[in-house]
Amino acid sequence: MFCIKHDILIPNFDEPYSNSGRSRRKIVDHTVLHHFRVEVFYKIIDWQLQELNDRFNEVTSDLFHGVACLNPVNSFSSFDIGKIMRMAKLYPDDFDQFSMGVLQNQLANYIIDVRDTNKRFSDLGGLGELSRKLIETKKNLTYPLIFRLVKFALLLPVATATVERAFSAMKYIKNDLGNRMDDEFLDGCIVPYVEKKVFRTISNESIIKTFQDMKPRRVQL
């Protein structure tokens, strides 16, 4: 279809492949189909996988897999207790050794309850709908540790975006002219830059008055 649309000669995939950059006297031992499938398509897929592996480490992958397994889409088709447990291990302050054992038992009962028994959890569209349904049915009290993981999964995009915005702001604030500022002064500059919408609602007079009242000053601003 692509070749027909752009008036490109459609190759015969059963013919021996001939590389214009090599000597034609060299015997070709594979077909055109093999060239496009193995040397082009598979190679590009390998490059993309390598880029993904370089960008997302093991911890990030475990986190994303855990979030995907909590997703109720297609009647919890992605549910996997092992991957969810690996996600929970990334939050040691919230899941100690005892809680991990309780969580595993809750997950075993939870999937039977919401997928096989309770029809109110069918056809949910995402984690947001799942969290609302858990509260409506009081299942958040029955499975408190699972509900905690669902909340973490919902907060993750917001927390990640906030961190990304903070790092982007640092590029503008801590430049070559201001690279010697200490951490406290840097924090004071980044917060107004990142939270622009909040600080637009604060008048300059209020800021000046707060600054003036922090300690006695020689000059009245």
Side-chain angles (χ1 to χ4, degrees):
M1 291 175 63
F2 179 86
C3 293
I4 293 173
K5 180 179 179 181
H6 298 278
D7 296 327
I8 299 174
L9 180 64
I10 300 177
N12 185 353
F13 290 101
D14 295 328
E15 291 182 352
Y17 174 72
S18 176
N19 190 342
S20 59
R22 297 178 182 176
S23 174
R24 294 187 178 275
R25 295 179 180 179
K26 188 174 181 179
I27 300 176
V28 179
D29 57 354
H30 58 267
T31 62
V32 175
L33 177 62
H34 176 89
H35 166 71
F36 282 108
R37 175 178 292 171
V38 177
E39 298 183 1
V40 178
F41 180 74
Y42 288 165
K43 185 176 291 186
I44 291 175
I45 294 297
D46 289 340
W47 286 345
Q48 291 176 335
L49 288 174
Q50 185 62 45
E51 287 291 332
L52 290 172
N53 290 332
D54 293 340
R55 183 173 293 272
F56 301 107
N57 56 27
E58 184 177 355
V59 173
T60 307
S61 299
D62 288 342
L63 188 60
F64 286 162
H65 286 152
V67 173
C69 292
L70 289 171
N71 199 325
V73 173
N74 296 326
S75 300
F76 298 87
S77 59
S78 301
F79 186 84
D80 189 305
I81 293 180
K83 292 180 180 179
I84 296 175
M85 294 296 294
R86 285 196 292 272
M87 173 188 174
K89 289 181 180 179
L90 301 177
Y91 298 94
D93 294 338
D94 298 275
F95 294 93
D96 55 18
Q97 187 174 1
F98 174 77
S99 297
M100 292 294 290
V102 176
L103 174 62
Q104 189 168 11
N105 292 331
Q106 286 188 11
L107 287 169
N109 296 325
Y110 163 81
I111 191 59
I112 297 174
D113 190 357
V114 299
R115 184 174 61 187
D116 302 331
T117 305
N118 201 322
K119 300 301 181 183
R120 288 178 291 182
F121 286 87
S122 60
D123 299 328
L124 294 179
L127 289 171
E129 294 183 13
L130 173 63
S131 64
R132 289 192 292 269
K133 189 62 67 175
L134 286 172
I135 295 175
E136 291 174 3
T137 58
K138 306 297 183 182
K139 297 296 183 182
N140 60 316
L141 304 178
T142 307
Y143 310 107
L145 297 180
I146 299 175
F147 185 65
R148 185 183 302 175
L149 281 177
V150 172
K151 289 192 293 184
F152 287 163
L154 290 171
L155 290 172
L156 183 63
V158 180
T160 305
T162 303
V163 173
E164 292 291 339
R165 288 169 58 199
F167 276 105
S168 298
M170 288 179 63
K171 297 179 182 178
Y172 295 98
I173 296 174
K174 198 165 186 178
N175 49 29
D176 293 337
L177 298 177
N179 59 359
R180 294 185 179 180
M181 65 176 66
D182 57 18
D183 293 340
E184 184 177 358
F185 185 66
L186 178 62
D187 291 342
C189 294
I190 287 180
V191 171
Y193 188 89
V194 173
E195 303 296 342
K196 294 179 182 178
K197 292 183 179 180
V198 176
F199 280 86
R200 284 196 185 102
T201 62
I202 304 175
S203 64
N204 292 334
E205 290 74 14
S206 300
I207 297 175
I208 293 174
K209 184 179 185 305
T210 301
F211 183 76
Q212 190 72 47
D213 296 340
M214 289 174 62
K215 64 179 181 180
R217 304 181 188 278
R218 296 179 180 180
V219 180
Q220 183 71 26
L221 299 177

